[in-house]
Amino acid sequence: MLLSGWVVLTAVERWAERAPWPGAVLGGLLWSCVVAGVWWFAEWTQSPLRTARERAAARESAAAGPRKDEAPREQDAGTDEPVVGRSSGASTPTRR
């Protein structure tokens, strides 16, 4: 983050602000340190919240039972029992 910011902000200082190269390099370094520091601070302050949210989501999903994104199980038309196996006459098309 710091290195890429330094390069980009040095280019901005050089061409947009029309600063000489030594001044542009120092200005780019200063601003990239500011940007990297703010980025680090934001990540540092958000990490406990993210961890707490992930733990809460894990607790909720464990308490809710099976996940909702699982494929639904096949049901026999006449009963509430899941179909254990397919009949021998049923076939599934294959890709070749």
Side-chain angles (χ1 to χ4, degrees):
M1 180 67 195
L2 181 65
L3 182 62
S4 61
W6 187 12
V7 170
V8 169
L9 291 169
T10 297
V12 168
E13 287 284 327
R14 173 68 178 137
W15 285 289
E17 301 293 327
R18 304 209 189 281
W21 275 110
V25 169
L26 289 176
L29 180 60
L30 172 69
W31 282 111
S32 64
C33 287
V34 169
V35 169
V38 169
W39 183 287
W40 171 82
F41 182 76
E43 287 288 322
W44 180 66
T45 57
Q46 292 296 316
S47 66
L49 294 175
R50 186 177 316 123
T51 304
R53 286 185 196 128
E54 289 171 355
R55 286 183 189 154
R59 278 194 304 264
E60 287 176 7
S61 66
R67 295 185 345 194
K68 294 178 182 175
D69 61 347
E70 291 179 351
R73 296 168 51 183
E74 290 185 23
Q75 298 285 327
D76 189 9
T79 67
D80 290 334
E81 302 285 327
V83 175
V84 175
R86 293 188 176 267
S87 64
S88 61
S91 65
T92 304
T94 60
R95 293 183 180 173
R96 295 181 184 206

